[in-house]
Amino acid sequence: MMEQNTLKITNVLSDPTRFSIYQYIVKQREHVTVQQIADQFNIHPNVARLHLTKLEDVQMIISETQKTGKGGRPSRYYKLSDEVIQLQFPYRDYQRLAKMALESLVELGDIGFEALKKMGYKYGRESADLYVKQFHFDVANATMEQKVRMIEQIAINQGLNPEISYSTEKDEIEFSIYNCTFKELMSEHSISLCSMHHELFKGIFSYFLGEHILKDNMKLTDPTAKACSYSVIKL
């Protein structure tokens, strides 16, 4: 069964246009329509509908109908599924390993909680350092706008689906992520994971900005939130 599902997913994603459509939906962060996809990729609506149907067949996206308020047939909208798609050869269950490691740290109480935060900060610094060295960036002479773009790319590389902006007037960065890479564990360990993620971002921002304040504005665990958002103020 697992092998058949893997073959279905790889077959669906083997089409470059279909894969690009999926990436487009990820970045949109909201519902899309067949016509929207057709216009974006310059394809016939019937072709767009076929691509969307195939993505839905493997549960990478889901659809729902909504009334337009103008009469006539309801419109169908597509959005990302909450299903986690993993392709690994041979099979590995890293999600279970993460859960076991996290529960072990929680069992240690405050010591484990502080260790998790410390590792988050360390990983953030290491992620920034690896990215800078890979592309030979000169951080010391980079402008704030260039640093912001580097931070954005690091977050993209981690699958966080970020949105980032810098205000020259306030000398402040607004930073949001629309995908939590620990989503499946959040229901049981939101406090520990949110704290660790906060420290991860502190590590990244400290690498580029030095001393700063990282303020939590909103979390995905909030009932109406669509993103985790932060304000970053350089000291």
Side-chain angles (χ1 to χ4, degrees):
M1 181 67 178
M2 184 179 297
E3 289 81 1
Q4 291 179 347
N5 193 49
T6 298
L7 287 173
K8 284 180 65 177
I9 294 169
T10 53
N11 181 58
V12 167
L13 294 179
S14 64
D15 185 287
T17 300
R18 197 175 300 137
F19 184 66
S20 296
I21 289 172
Y22 177 73
Q23 290 181 309
Y24 175 78
I25 296 173
V26 169
K27 293 177 181 178
Q28 288 301 109
R29 305 173 188 138
E30 58 185 15
H31 296 85
V32 300
T33 65
V34 169
Q35 190 60 53
Q36 185 178 346
I37 295 299
D39 293 342
Q40 177 68 28
F41 291 91
N42 194 28
I43 55 179
H44 192 278
N46 288 342
V47 177
R49 186 177 290 106
L50 177 62
H51 285 309
L52 291 167
T53 299
K54 286 185 176 294
L55 287 169
E56 188 173 16
D57 285 344
V58 293
Q59 299 180 310
M60 297 187 73
I61 63 174
I62 58 175
S63 68
E64 58 185 29
T65 56
Q66 296 181 9
K67 293 184 178 179
T68 62
K70 301 178 182 179
R73 295 176 58 186
S75 295
R76 182 168 292 276
Y77 294 86
Y78 297 83
K79 65 177 182 178
L80 287 182
S81 165
D82 287 332
E83 290 290 323
V84 178
I85 307 298
Q86 298 187 66
L87 298 176
Q88 297 171 354
F89 304 95
Y91 177 72
R92 298 288 187 267
D93 193 348
Y94 291 113
Q95 184 175 324
R96 177 168 297 191
L97 176 62
K99 186 174 182 180
M100 292 168 61
L102 186 57
E103 289 180 353
S104 298
L105 286 169
V106 170
E107 285 292 321
L108 295 175
D110 291 342
I111 294 175
F113 184 69
E114 290 302 316
L116 190 63
K117 290 168 62 178
K118 182 178 179 181
M119 290 306 298
Y121 183 85
K122 179 183 177 183
Y123 181 78
R125 294 276 306 187
E126 289 178 350
S127 298
D129 187 57
L130 180 64
Y131 179 79
V132 167
K133 288 180 177 177
Q134 181 180 359
F135 295 99
H136 308 289
F137 287 120
D138 182 4
V139 177
N141 294 312
T143 65
M144 181 59 76
E145 287 78 7
Q146 289 172 328
K147 291 178 180 179
V148 167
R149 296 284 76 81
M150 292 180 207
I151 293 168
E152 179 182 40
Q153 190 58 54
I154 292 168
I156 290 173
N157 292 346
Q158 294 183 9
L160 297 173
N161 197 3
E163 186 174 277
I164 188 168
S165 62
Y166 170 63
S167 170
T168 53
E169 293 181 1
K170 296 181 179 179
D171 194 21
E172 184 174 316
I173 296 172
E174 294 294 329
F175 179 66
S176 298
I177 61 168
Y178 289 81
N179 178 44
C180 178
T181 48
F182 309 114
K183 183 177 181 179
E184 287 65 42
L185 300 175
M186 275 293 176
S187 60
E188 297 179 52
H189 303 289
S190 61
I191 295 176
S192 298
L193 288 173
C194 286
S195 297
M196 187 270 287
H197 230 173
H198 179 99
E199 292 301 310
L200 184 150
F201 293 135
K202 279 189 69 70
I204 294 173
F205 282 108
S206 69
Y207 185 92
F208 292 99
L209 307 179
E211 291 297 315
H212 67 282
I213 297 173
L214 179 62
K215 178 184 175 184
D216 294 324
N217 296 326
M218 183 170 56
K219 296 181 180 179
L220 275 167
T221 51
D222 297 338
T224 60
K226 293 184 179 180
C228 289
S229 64
Y230 308 85
S231 295
V232 186
I233 305 168
K234 186 178 179 181
L235 297 178

